[in-house]
């Protein structure tokens, strides 16, 4: 009987030895997360990169103003696209009387989705960025700009490729 008590007692002691609570060293983990947070904060700038078709070569410019996030009107050889959706063909534009009906309808639809205007938009009109090949005829560009203005998108920007350059 004594042997049995000694055996059970020694097993209980070993059992308690294995049941020690685990300890975690959180300092290293916190260091990694701190570095990760700073990395993400520094690299999450508000730079906008416009997606341009391979077929389009933007004109070069030494403009210093950064691009803003706006509706994009893309002029290709065959179509006019608004935010990636085709709204008119070049045949419609050339044979039209000045305004581009499909473009005007799409811009009107997008304007109806967000009816409240900021004070700046009330004065300048809604914003849009026009992307077109440097070989786009001026007459086509003028019709696109006129249609945008008639749809109250008067704050127009023309997308260009920024080159290092000169000042005055």
């Amino acid at each position: 009987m004594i042997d049995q008590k000694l055996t059970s007692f020694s097993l209980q002691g070993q059992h308690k030895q294995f049941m020690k609570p685990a300890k975690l060293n959180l300092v290293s983990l916190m260091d990694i997360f701190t570095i990760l947070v700073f990395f993400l904060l520094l690299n999450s700038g508000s730079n906008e990169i416009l997606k341009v078709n391979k077929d389009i070569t933007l004109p070069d410019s030494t403009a210093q103003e950064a691009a803003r996030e706006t509706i994009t009107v893309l002029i290709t050889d065959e179509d006019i696209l608004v935010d990636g959706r085709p709204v008119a063909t070049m045949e419609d534009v050339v044979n039209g009387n000045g305004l581009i009906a499909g473009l005007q309808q799409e811009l009107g639809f997008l304007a109806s989705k967000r009816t409240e205007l900021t004070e700046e938009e009330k004065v300048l009109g809604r914003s849009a960025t026009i992307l077109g090949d440097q070989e786009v005829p001026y007459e086509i560009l003028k019709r696109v700009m006129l249609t945008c203005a008639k749809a109250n998108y008067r704050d127009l920007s023309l997308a260009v490729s920024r080159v290092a350059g000169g000042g005055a």
Side-chain angles (χ1 to χ4, degrees):
M1 177 118 156
I2 295 176
D3 290 336
Q4 249 181 353
K5 285 184 181 180
L6 286 176
T7 308
S8 64
F9 178 72
S10 64
L11 289 177
Q12 287 176 355
Q14 287 177 356
H15 182 67
K16 287 182 182 178
Q17 188 178 25
F18 290 122
M19 294 298 292
K20 289 183 179 177
K23 294 181 181 177
L24 285 175
N25 187 358
L26 296 178
V27 174
S28 300
L29 189 61
M30 289 171 50
D31 288 344
I32 291 170
F33 281 124
T34 303
I35 292 169
L36 184 62
V37 166
F38 282 117
F39 174 79
L40 292 174
L41 285 174
L42 291 175
N43 290 315
S44 66
S46 61
N47 293 337
E48 180 183 351
I49 298 174
L50 298 172
K51 296 179 183 176
V52 180
N53 287 359
K54 296 174 188 173
D55 303 333
I56 293 178
T57 305
L58 294 175
D60 293 331
S61 173
T62 57
Q64 299 299 316
E65 190 174 327
R68 295 174 293 163
E69 190 171 333
T70 63
I71 291 173
T72 58
V73 179
L74 177 65
I75 306 170
T76 67
D77 291 337
E78 294 98 24
D79 296 312
I80 295 180
L81 298 98
V82 175
D83 286 340
R85 290 182 304 281
V87 295
T89 63
M90 272 304 148
E91 188 176 320
D92 297 337
V93 175
V94 171
N95 296 333
N97 62 353
L99 293 179
I100 305 165
L103 177 60
Q104 192 170 14
Q105 288 173 351
E106 182 67 19
L107 292 175
F109 171 72
L110 292 172
S112 70
K113 288 172 61 175
R114 191 175 73 86
T115 56
E116 292 185 24
L117 299 175
T118 64
E119 291 300 319
E120 184 179 0
E121 288 175 332
K122 288 178 183 174
V123 173
L124 298 176
R126 297 176 188 272
S127 298
T129 301
I130 299 173
L131 289 91
D133 193 87
Q134 61 188 2
E135 300 298 323
V136 170
Y138 178 70
E139 184 63 31
I140 302 288
L141 185 60
K142 190 167 85 171
R143 288 182 183 189
V144 169
M145 293 171 70
L146 176 66
T147 304
C148 289
K150 291 290 184 182
N152 198 25
Y153 283 85
R154 297 184 318 268
D155 186 12
L156 300 175
S157 301
L158 298 174
V160 293
S161 295
R162 181 181 288 181
V163 294

